[in-house]
Amino acid sequence: MGVIKRVVIIGWDGAGNFVQAASTPHLDRLISRGAVSFDAQTASPTISAECWGALMHGVSPDKHGLTNSKAEKQLFPEDSPYPSIFRIAREADTSVKLASFSAWEPINYGIIEPNIGVHKVSMPDREIALATADYISNHSDFQLLYVHLDLPDIAGHKHGYNTPEQLRSIEETDTNTGVILDALEQANALNDSLIIVVSDHGGGGEVDTDHGSDHPLDKTIFWVAAGPGIEPGTTISEPIVITDTAAVVAHALGLAAPVSWEAKLPRHLFGTAGVE
C-alpha cells in the first residue's frame, strides 16, 4: 500500500445526497477507486457554518460554537480547545503547506483559524476551481488542501433542492471538481493523495428552498474518500457523520487527533492495513 502524501477535501455545499440523481462522471470516477456513503449524516442544525465547522474542528456545533453570522464577523479563537484540522497540521510541522480555496468567504475568515499560515483564497466557484488547479501545479508538495464549491446550495435556495435546476448545478460542480482532479493528475499527485468529497447538508426537508431542520432530506449527505489504503469500489456500511472527516484527515496525515474531538475514524475505511 502506498503512503498518503497529502489530503484534499472538496466540499459541495448543499448537495446532500442528491448527487445520485445527477450526471457526475468525475465523482463517479473517485467512487470507483474509493469508498462511498450516500447515507452519511451531517451536524445539527443543518446550516453551513455549523456543518463545515464540524468537519474542520471535529466536534458538534454546540462545542465549536460557529454560526453563519459568527463566521462572517468573528475570527475563530486560536486557543480554542477544538482545533481545526489545519491547526493540528500546523502545530505538528511549521513548514508544511496548507491551503483553503472557498467560494463562501466566511470559511476562510471565521471557521479556519487566522495566523496559522493557511494560504486562503475566496472567489466564485469556477474561478476557485481554476485557482486551485494553478496552486496545485505550483505547490504539489502541499499537505492539506480544502476547496469549497457553492453552486448547489445557491441553486437549491433559488429553485429548490433535488430539482432539475439544482441537479444541473451539481453537474457543473462535478465539472469544476474535474478541473481540480486533472490538476492533481498532471502534477503526478493524484495516486498518493487522499481525496475526500463531501456535502455539508441537503435541503428541501421542511421548506423546498431551505435547510436547517433534522429532516432526512436536510440531514443526509454523501461522503466519498479515495486514496492509498482504501479498497476501490467500497460502500461504507457503518454510520459516518461529517464530524468524522476530521479524524480521517488526522489519521491519513499521521497526526494525533486531539482528545477533545468527537470525530471517530470509521473502523474499516482503510481496511486492516491502516495508513503508513
mmCIF file of all heavy atoms in Angstrom, residues 12-15 18-26 125-126 149-177:
data_model
loop_
_atom_site.group_PDB
_atom_site.id
_atom_site.type_symbol
_atom_site.label_atom_id
_atom_site.label_comp_id
_atom_site.label_asym_id
_atom_site.label_seq_id
_atom_site.Cartn_x
_atom_site.Cartn_y
_atom_site.Cartn_z
ATOM 1 N N TRP A 12 -18.990 20.175 -1.493
ATOM 2 C CA TRP A 12 -20.086 20.590 -2.378
ATOM 3 C C TRP A 12 -21.238 21.087 -1.510
ATOM 4 O O TRP A 12 -22.003 20.291 -0.957
ATOM 5 C CB TRP A 12 -20.557 19.418 -3.244
ATOM 6 C CG TRP A 12 -19.558 18.913 -4.256
ATOM 7 C CD1 TRP A 12 -18.229 19.186 -4.323
ATOM 8 C CD2 TRP A 12 -19.841 18.024 -5.348
ATOM 9 N NE1 TRP A 12 -17.664 18.528 -5.383
ATOM 10 C CE2 TRP A 12 -18.625 17.805 -6.035
ATOM 11 C CE3 TRP A 12 -20.997 17.392 -5.801
ATOM 12 C CZ2 TRP A 12 -18.538 16.979 -7.161
ATOM 13 C CZ3 TRP A 12 -20.918 16.557 -6.909
ATOM 14 C CH2 TRP A 12 -19.709 16.368 -7.588
ATOM 15 N N ASP A 13 -21.359 22.382 -1.381
ATOM 16 C CA ASP A 13 -22.332 22.957 -0.459
ATOM 17 C C ASP A 13 -23.767 22.686 -0.916
ATOM 18 O O ASP A 13 -24.124 22.940 -2.066
ATOM 19 C CB ASP A 13 -22.103 24.476 -0.338
ATOM 20 C CG ASP A 13 -22.622 25.050 0.955
ATOM 21 O OD1 ASP A 13 -23.843 24.923 1.216
ATOM 22 O OD2 ASP A 13 -21.825 25.623 1.716
ATOM 23 N N GLY A 14 -24.575 22.154 0.001
ATOM 24 C CA GLY A 14 -25.997 21.972 -0.266
ATOM 25 C C GLY A 14 -26.349 20.819 -1.181
ATOM 26 O O GLY A 14 -27.503 20.687 -1.590
ATOM 27 N N ALA A 15 -25.375 19.958 -1.485
ATOM 28 C CA ALA A 15 -25.639 18.872 -2.439
ATOM 29 C C ALA A 15 -26.305 17.662 -1.791
ATOM 30 O O ALA A 15 -26.793 16.772 -2.505
ATOM 31 C CB ALA A 15 -24.344 18.445 -3.127
ATOM 32 N N PHE A 18 -28.095 14.231 -3.165
ATOM 33 C CA PHE A 18 -28.813 14.364 -4.435
ATOM 34 C C PHE A 18 -27.910 14.086 -5.625
ATOM 35 O O PHE A 18 -28.392 14.012 -6.764
ATOM 36 C CB PHE A 18 -29.419 15.769 -4.551
ATOM 37 C CG PHE A 18 -30.217 16.195 -3.344
ATOM 38 C CD1 PHE A 18 -30.084 17.477 -2.830
ATOM 39 C CD2 PHE A 18 -31.080 15.316 -2.711
ATOM 40 C CE1 PHE A 18 -30.811 17.884 -1.712
ATOM 41 C CE2 PHE A 18 -31.808 15.699 -1.593
ATOM 42 C CZ PHE A 18 -31.666 16.989 -1.090
ATOM 43 N N VAL A 19 -26.616 13.927 -5.373
ATOM 44 C CA VAL A 19 -25.671 13.621 -6.458
ATOM 45 C C VAL A 19 -26.038 12.321 -7.162
ATOM 46 O O VAL A 19 -25.679 12.122 -8.328
ATOM 47 C CB VAL A 19 -24.221 13.539 -5.918
ATOM 48 C CG1 VAL A 19 -23.771 14.891 -5.392
ATOM 49 C CG2 VAL A 19 -24.097 12.478 -4.828
ATOM 50 N N GLN A 20 -26.774 11.465 -6.482
ATOM 51 C CA GLN A 20 -27.163 10.183 -7.080
ATOM 52 C C GLN A 20 -28.058 10.370 -8.304
ATOM 53 O O GLN A 20 -28.101 9.497 -9.183
ATOM 54 C CB GLN A 20 -27.901 9.316 -6.049
ATOM 55 C CG GLN A 20 -27.052 8.923 -4.857
ATOM 56 C CD GLN A 20 -27.883 8.247 -3.785
ATOM 57 O OE1 GLN A 20 -27.930 7.027 -3.698
ATOM 58 N NE2 GLN A 20 -28.544 9.038 -2.961
ATOM 59 N N ALA A 21 -28.767 11.493 -8.366
ATOM 60 C CA ALA A 21 -29.696 11.734 -9.464
ATOM 61 C C ALA A 21 -29.085 12.586 -10.574
ATOM 62 O O ALA A 21 -29.750 12.883 -11.563
ATOM 63 C CB ALA A 21 -30.958 12.423 -8.938
ATOM 64 N N ALA A 22 -27.815 12.984 -10.407
ATOM 65 C CA ALA A 22 -27.149 13.850 -11.373
ATOM 66 C C ALA A 22 -26.089 13.077 -12.135
ATOM 67 O O ALA A 22 -25.644 12.005 -11.709
ATOM 68 C CB ALA A 22 -26.513 15.047 -10.660
ATOM 69 N N SER A 23 -25.671 13.629 -13.264
ATOM 70 C CA SER A 23 -24.568 13.049 -14.038
ATOM 71 C C SER A 23 -23.262 13.640 -13.511
ATOM 72 O O SER A 23 -22.982 14.823 -13.706
ATOM 73 C CB SER A 23 -24.739 13.376 -15.529
ATOM 74 O OG SER A 23 -23.613 12.946 -16.258
ATOM 75 N N THR A 24 -22.480 12.803 -12.823
ATOM 76 C CA THR A 24 -21.262 13.287 -12.161
ATOM 77 C C THR A 24 -20.090 12.363 -12.490
ATOM 78 O O THR A 24 -19.629 11.600 -11.639
ATOM 79 C CB THR A 24 -21.465 13.357 -10.634
ATOM 80 O OG1 THR A 24 -21.905 12.058 -10.168
ATOM 81 C CG2 THR A 24 -22.514 14.391 -10.259
ATOM 82 N N PRO A 25 -19.580 12.419 -13.711
ATOM 83 C CA PRO A 25 -18.538 11.470 -14.116
ATOM 84 C C PRO A 25 -17.255 11.566 -13.292
ATOM 85 O O PRO A 25 -16.597 10.549 -13.043
ATOM 86 C CB PRO A 25 -18.280 11.812 -15.584
ATOM 87 C CG PRO A 25 -18.852 13.194 -15.775
ATOM 88 C CD PRO A 25 -19.995 13.294 -14.824
ATOM 89 N N HIS A 26 -16.894 12.757 -12.852
ATOM 90 C CA HIS A 26 -15.659 12.896 -12.074
ATOM 91 C C HIS A 26 -15.837 12.316 -10.674
ATOM 92 O O HIS A 26 -14.943 11.622 -10.161
ATOM 93 C CB HIS A 26 -15.235 14.360 -12.015
ATOM 94 C CG HIS A 26 -14.961 14.939 -13.362
ATOM 95 N ND1 HIS A 26 -13.855 14.589 -14.112
ATOM 96 C CD2 HIS A 26 -15.672 15.827 -14.120
ATOM 97 C CE1 HIS A 26 -13.888 15.244 -15.264
ATOM 98 N NE2 HIS A 26 -14.976 15.996 -15.292
ATOM 99 N N ASP A 125 -17.196 30.044 -7.790
ATOM 100 C CA ASP A 125 -16.867 28.637 -8.000
ATOM 101 C C ASP A 125 -15.884 28.365 -9.140
ATOM 102 O O ASP A 125 -14.869 27.689 -8.943
ATOM 103 C CB ASP A 125 -18.149 27.827 -8.260
ATOM 104 C CG ASP A 125 -18.934 27.563 -6.992
ATOM 105 O OD1 ASP A 125 -19.162 28.522 -6.231
ATOM 106 O OD2 ASP A 125 -19.326 26.403 -6.763
ATOM 107 N N ARG A 126 -16.182 28.818 -10.343
ATOM 108 C CA ARG A 126 -15.314 28.487 -11.482
ATOM 109 C C ARG A 126 -13.916 29.041 -11.261
ATOM 110 O O ARG A 126 -12.916 28.363 -11.510
ATOM 111 C CB ARG A 126 -15.906 29.036 -12.779
ATOM 112 C CG ARG A 126 -15.104 28.640 -14.030
ATOM 113 C CD ARG A 126 -15.106 27.134 -14.216
ATOM 114 N NE ARG A 126 -14.386 26.723 -15.431
ATOM 115 C CZ ARG A 126 -14.198 25.468 -15.778
ATOM 116 N NH1 ARG A 126 -14.662 24.487 -15.008
ATOM 117 N NH2 ARG A 126 -13.550 25.166 -16.887
ATOM 118 N N LEU A 149 -17.079 24.579 -2.896
ATOM 119 C CA LEU A 149 -17.845 24.959 -4.081
ATOM 120 C C LEU A 149 -19.306 25.160 -3.680
ATOM 121 O O LEU A 149 -19.886 24.312 -3.007
ATOM 122 C CB LEU A 149 -17.705 23.878 -5.154
ATOM 123 C CG LEU A 149 -16.259 23.626 -5.626
ATOM 124 C CD1 LEU A 149 -16.175 22.380 -6.502
ATOM 125 C CD2 LEU A 149 -15.715 24.841 -6.368
ATOM 126 N N ASP A 150 -19.893 26.255 -4.122
ATOM 127 C CA ASP A 150 -21.153 26.742 -3.543
ATOM 128 C C ASP A 150 -22.375 26.610 -4.440
ATOM 129 O O ASP A 150 -23.501 26.807 -3.986
ATOM 130 C CB ASP A 150 -20.977 28.223 -3.168
ATOM 131 C CG ASP A 150 -21.866 28.660 -2.010
ATOM 132 O OD1 ASP A 150 -22.300 27.794 -1.231
ATOM 133 O OD2 ASP A 150 -22.110 29.874 -1.884
ATOM 134 N N LEU A 151 -22.189 26.300 -5.709
ATOM 135 C CA LEU A 151 -23.305 26.380 -6.657
ATOM 136 C C LEU A 151 -24.522 25.523 -6.290
ATOM 137 O O LEU A 151 -25.664 25.974 -6.469
ATOM 138 C CB LEU A 151 -22.830 26.029 -8.067
ATOM 139 C CG LEU A 151 -21.937 27.067 -8.760
ATOM 140 C CD1 LEU A 151 -21.517 26.555 -10.132
ATOM 141 C CD2 LEU A 151 -22.644 28.416 -8.884
ATOM 142 N N PRO A 152 -24.352 24.294 -5.772
ATOM 143 C CA PRO A 152 -25.558 23.514 -5.463
ATOM 144 C C PRO A 152 -26.453 24.186 -4.427
ATOM 145 O O PRO A 152 -27.689 24.130 -4.538
ATOM 146 C CB PRO A 152 -24.999 22.188 -4.945
ATOM 147 C CG PRO A 152 -23.663 22.070 -5.591
ATOM 148 C CD PRO A 152 -23.127 23.477 -5.623
ATOM 149 N N ASP A 153 -25.866 24.834 -3.425
ATOM 150 C CA ASP A 153 -26.669 25.492 -2.407
ATOM 151 C C ASP A 153 -27.331 26.748 -2.952
ATOM 152 O O ASP A 153 -28.486 27.038 -2.633
ATOM 153 C CB ASP A 153 -25.805 25.835 -1.191
ATOM 154 C CG ASP A 153 -26.659 26.102 0.051
ATOM 155 O OD1 ASP A 153 -27.557 25.285 0.336
ATOM 156 O OD2 ASP A 153 -26.438 27.130 0.723
ATOM 157 N N ILE A 154 -26.618 27.482 -3.788
ATOM 158 C CA ILE A 154 -27.200 28.673 -4.415
ATOM 159 C C ILE A 154 -28.439 28.281 -5.230
ATOM 160 O O ILE A 154 -29.507 28.907 -5.129
ATOM 161 C CB ILE A 154 -26.158 29.375 -5.303
ATOM 162 C CG1 ILE A 154 -25.042 29.969 -4.434
ATOM 163 C CG2 ILE A 154 -26.816 30.464 -6.145
ATOM 164 C CD1 ILE A 154 -23.856 30.497 -5.231
ATOM 165 N N ALA A 155 -28.301 27.215 -6.022
ATOM 166 C CA ALA A 155 -29.426 26.750 -6.845
ATOM 167 C C ALA A 155 -30.555 26.205 -5.988
ATOM 168 O O ALA A 155 -31.736 26.403 -6.299
ATOM 169 C CB ALA A 155 -28.946 25.692 -7.834
ATOM 170 N N GLY A 156 -30.196 25.508 -4.900
ATOM 171 C CA GLY A 156 -31.229 24.971 -4.020
ATOM 172 C C GLY A 156 -32.078 26.064 -3.401
ATOM 173 O O GLY A 156 -33.311 25.945 -3.325
ATOM 174 N N HIS A 157 -31.424 27.132 -2.934
ATOM 175 C CA HIS A 157 -32.172 28.246 -2.337
ATOM 176 C C HIS A 157 -33.041 28.952 -3.382
ATOM 177 O O HIS A 157 -34.116 29.457 -3.053
ATOM 178 C CB HIS A 157 -31.210 29.247 -1.712
ATOM 179 C CG HIS A 157 -30.669 28.810 -0.378
ATOM 180 N ND1 HIS A 157 -31.478 28.616 0.726
ATOM 181 C CD2 HIS A 157 -29.411 28.529 0.029
ATOM 182 C CE1 HIS A 157 -30.735 28.240 1.752
ATOM 183 N NE2 HIS A 157 -29.480 28.170 1.357
ATOM 184 N N LYS A 158 -32.571 28.981 -4.615
ATOM 185 C CA LYS A 158 -33.317 29.701 -5.663
ATOM 186 C C LYS A 158 -34.426 28.854 -6.275
ATOM 187 O O LYS A 158 -35.555 29.343 -6.477
ATOM 188 C CB LYS A 158 -32.344 30.157 -6.757
ATOM 189 C CG LYS A 158 -33.004 30.998 -7.846
ATOM 190 C CD LYS A 158 -31.966 31.524 -8.828
ATOM 191 C CE LYS A 158 -32.623 32.406 -9.891
ATOM 192 N NZ LYS A 158 -31.617 32.934 -10.865
ATOM 193 N N HIS A 159 -34.139 27.586 -6.555
ATOM 194 C CA HIS A 159 -35.064 26.761 -7.333
ATOM 195 C C HIS A 159 -35.664 25.600 -6.544
ATOM 196 O O HIS A 159 -36.588 24.944 -7.032
ATOM 197 C CB HIS A 159 -34.336 26.185 -8.560
ATOM 198 C CG HIS A 159 -33.776 27.208 -9.480
ATOM 199 N ND1 HIS A 159 -34.560 27.995 -10.298
ATOM 200 C CD2 HIS A 159 -32.488 27.583 -9.705
ATOM 201 C CE1 HIS A 159 -33.789 28.802 -11.006
ATOM 202 N NE2 HIS A 159 -32.531 28.575 -10.669
ATOM 203 N N GLY A 160 -35.107 25.308 -5.360
ATOM 204 C CA GLY A 160 -35.497 24.125 -4.617
ATOM 205 C C GLY A 160 -34.422 23.059 -4.723
ATOM 206 O O GLY A 160 -33.678 22.993 -5.709
ATOM 207 N N TYR A 161 -34.346 22.230 -3.686
ATOM 208 C CA TYR A 161 -33.331 21.181 -3.628
ATOM 209 C C TYR A 161 -33.822 19.925 -4.330
ATOM 210 O O TYR A 161 -35.015 19.613 -4.323
ATOM 211 C CB TYR A 161 -32.964 20.889 -2.167
ATOM 212 C CG TYR A 161 -32.208 22.040 -1.548
ATOM 213 C CD1 TYR A 161 -32.890 23.156 -1.049
ATOM 214 C CD2 TYR A 161 -30.818 22.044 -1.508
ATOM 215 C CE1 TYR A 161 -32.194 24.234 -0.514
ATOM 216 C CE2 TYR A 161 -30.125 23.117 -0.981
ATOM 217 C CZ TYR A 161 -30.816 24.212 -0.482
ATOM 218 O OH TYR A 161 -30.141 25.291 0.033
ATOM 219 N N ASN A 162 -32.886 19.208 -4.957
ATOM 220 C CA ASN A 162 -33.193 17.993 -5.712
ATOM 221 C C ASN A 162 -34.187 18.269 -6.838
ATOM 222 O O ASN A 162 -35.034 17.431 -7.151
ATOM 223 C CB ASN A 162 -33.710 16.890 -4.784
ATOM 224 C CG ASN A 162 -33.485 15.498 -5.363
ATOM 225 O OD1 ASN A 162 -32.622 15.303 -6.211
ATOM 226 N ND2 ASN A 162 -34.275 14.538 -4.915
ATOM 227 N N THR A 163 -34.058 19.451 -7.424
ATOM 228 C CA THR A 163 -34.852 19.843 -8.588
ATOM 229 C C THR A 163 -33.965 19.765 -9.822
ATOM 230 O O THR A 163 -32.731 19.697 -9.705
ATOM 231 C CB THR A 163 -35.367 21.281 -8.438
ATOM 232 O OG1 THR A 163 -34.219 22.162 -8.303
ATOM 233 C CG2 THR A 163 -36.267 21.423 -7.216
ATOM 234 N N PRO A 164 -34.551 19.783 -11.016
ATOM 235 C CA PRO A 164 -33.705 19.760 -12.223
ATOM 236 C C PRO A 164 -32.673 20.888 -12.242
ATOM 237 O O PRO A 164 -31.527 20.682 -12.658
ATOM 238 C CB PRO A 164 -34.722 19.896 -13.360
ATOM 239 C CG PRO A 164 -35.976 19.287 -12.814
ATOM 240 C CD PRO A 164 -35.990 19.664 -11.353
ATOM 241 N N GLU A 165 -33.084 22.074 -11.763
ATOM 242 C CA GLU A 165 -32.157 23.203 -11.753
ATOM 243 C C GLU A 165 -30.988 22.947 -10.797
ATOM 244 O O GLU A 165 -29.825 23.235 -11.110
ATOM 245 C CB GLU A 165 -32.881 24.489 -11.355
ATOM 246 C CG GLU A 165 -33.919 24.960 -12.358
ATOM 247 C CD GLU A 165 -35.293 24.313 -12.169
ATOM 248 O OE1 GLU A 165 -35.432 23.421 -11.306
ATOM 249 O OE2 GLU A 165 -36.224 24.700 -12.893
ATOM 250 N N GLN A 166 -31.292 22.376 -9.632
ATOM 251 C CA GLN A 166 -30.198 22.106 -8.702
ATOM 252 C C GLN A 166 -29.299 20.982 -9.205
ATOM 253 O O GLN A 166 -28.073 21.034 -9.041
ATOM 254 C CB GLN A 166 -30.709 21.772 -7.294
ATOM 255 C CG GLN A 166 -29.578 21.959 -6.266
ATOM 256 C CD GLN A 166 -29.589 21.001 -5.104
ATOM 257 O OE1 GLN A 166 -30.316 20.012 -5.095
ATOM 258 N NE2 GLN A 166 -28.767 21.292 -4.113
ATOM 259 N N LEU A 167 -29.899 19.975 -9.816
ATOM 260 C CA LEU A 167 -29.088 18.885 -10.347
ATOM 261 C C LEU A 167 -28.133 19.383 -11.425
ATOM 262 O O LEU A 167 -26.990 18.912 -11.521
ATOM 263 C CB LEU A 167 -29.973 17.763 -10.888
ATOM 264 C CG LEU A 167 -30.828 17.040 -9.842
ATOM 265 C CD1 LEU A 167 -31.676 15.966 -10.505
ATOM 266 C CD2 LEU A 167 -29.970 16.442 -8.730
ATOM 267 N N ARG A 168 -28.561 20.379 -12.201
ATOM 268 C CA ARG A 168 -27.659 20.968 -13.200
ATOM 269 C C ARG A 168 -26.487 21.659 -12.510
ATOM 270 O O ARG A 168 -25.347 21.603 -12.983
ATOM 271 C CB ARG A 168 -28.415 21.943 -14.108
ATOM 272 C CG ARG A 168 -29.185 21.240 -15.218
ATOM 273 C CD ARG A 168 -29.585 22.204 -16.318
ATOM 274 N NE ARG A 168 -30.596 23.164 -15.867
ATOM 275 C CZ ARG A 168 -31.909 22.941 -15.907
ATOM 276 N NH1 ARG A 168 -32.366 21.776 -16.366
ATOM 277 N NH2 ARG A 168 -32.764 23.864 -15.516
ATOM 278 N N SER A 169 -26.750 22.308 -11.376
ATOM 279 C CA SER A 169 -25.661 22.977 -10.648
ATOM 280 C C SER A 169 -24.714 21.947 -10.032
ATOM 281 O O SER A 169 -23.500 22.189 -9.923
ATOM 282 C CB SER A 169 -26.226 23.901 -9.569
ATOM 283 O OG SER A 169 -26.672 23.165 -8.442
ATOM 284 N N ILE A 170 -25.251 20.799 -9.636
ATOM 285 C CA ILE A 170 -24.406 19.716 -9.135
ATOM 286 C C ILE A 170 -23.512 19.197 -10.263
ATOM 287 O O ILE A 170 -22.320 18.917 -10.054
ATOM 288 C CB ILE A 170 -25.269 18.597 -8.522
ATOM 289 C CG1 ILE A 170 -25.871 19.077 -7.187
ATOM 290 C CG2 ILE A 170 -24.468 17.315 -8.331
ATOM 291 C CD1 ILE A 170 -26.877 18.131 -6.572
ATOM 292 N N GLU A 171 -24.063 19.105 -11.451
ATOM 293 C CA GLU A 171 -23.267 18.650 -12.593
ATOM 294 C C GLU A 171 -22.174 19.660 -12.936
ATOM 295 O O GLU A 171 -21.040 19.282 -13.273
ATOM 296 C CB GLU A 171 -24.187 18.383 -13.787
ATOM 297 C CG GLU A 171 -25.087 17.171 -13.538
ATOM 298 C CD GLU A 171 -26.194 16.988 -14.555
ATOM 299 O OE1 GLU A 171 -26.341 17.865 -15.456
ATOM 300 O OE2 GLU A 171 -26.918 15.978 -14.465
ATOM 301 N N GLU A 172 -22.488 20.946 -12.808
ATOM 302 C CA GLU A 172 -21.472 21.981 -13.024
ATOM 303 C C GLU A 172 -20.378 21.888 -11.953
ATOM 304 O O GLU A 172 -19.189 22.080 -12.229
ATOM 305 C CB GLU A 172 -22.120 23.362 -13.018
ATOM 306 C CG GLU A 172 -21.168 24.488 -13.386
ATOM 307 C CD GLU A 172 -21.868 25.834 -13.508
ATOM 308 O OE1 GLU A 172 -23.121 25.876 -13.528
ATOM 309 O OE2 GLU A 172 -21.150 26.854 -13.561
ATOM 310 N N THR A 173 -20.792 21.559 -10.734
ATOM 311 C CA THR A 173 -19.823 21.395 -9.644
ATOM 312 C C THR A 173 -18.930 20.197 -9.895
ATOM 313 O O THR A 173 -17.727 20.224 -9.592
ATOM 314 C CB THR A 173 -20.583 21.259 -8.309
ATOM 315 O OG1 THR A 173 -21.383 22.428 -8.116
ATOM 316 C CG2 THR A 173 -19.629 21.107 -7.144
ATOM 317 N N ASP A 174 -19.480 19.148 -10.461
ATOM 318 C CA ASP A 174 -18.669 17.988 -10.826
ATOM 319 C C ASP A 174 -17.630 18.377 -11.880
ATOM 320 O O ASP A 174 -16.472 17.950 -11.810
ATOM 321 C CB ASP A 174 -19.565 16.868 -11.346
ATOM 322 C CG ASP A 174 -18.788 15.603 -11.647
ATOM 323 O OD1 ASP A 174 -18.361 14.932 -10.689
ATOM 324 O OD2 ASP A 174 -18.591 15.303 -12.841
ATOM 325 N N THR A 175 -18.036 19.197 -12.832
ATOM 326 C CA THR A 175 -17.093 19.678 -13.852
ATOM 327 C C THR A 175 -15.967 20.473 -13.203
ATOM 328 O O THR A 175 -14.790 20.296 -13.542
ATOM 329 C CB THR A 175 -17.825 20.538 -14.893
ATOM 330 O OG1 THR A 175 -18.827 19.751 -15.537
ATOM 331 C CG2 THR A 175 -16.863 21.082 -15.939
ATOM 332 N N ASN A 176 -16.309 21.354 -12.267
ATOM 333 C CA ASN A 176 -15.287 22.131 -11.572
ATOM 334 C C ASN A 176 -14.377 21.236 -10.737
ATOM 335 O O ASN A 176 -13.167 21.478 -10.640
ATOM 336 C CB ASN A 176 -15.944 23.189 -10.691
ATOM 337 C CG ASN A 176 -16.547 24.329 -11.501
ATOM 338 O OD1 ASN A 176 -16.069 24.643 -12.593
ATOM 339 N ND2 ASN A 176 -17.593 24.955 -10.979
ATOM 340 N N THR A 177 -14.950 20.202 -10.158
ATOM 341 C CA THR A 177 -14.136 19.230 -9.422
ATOM 342 C C THR A 177 -13.169 18.522 -10.359
ATOM 343 O O THR A 177 -12.014 18.248 -10.002
ATOM 344 C CB THR A 177 -15.055 18.217 -8.711
ATOM 345 O OG1 THR A 177 -15.859 18.917 -7.756
ATOM 346 C CG2 THR A 177 -14.256 17.126 -8.011
#
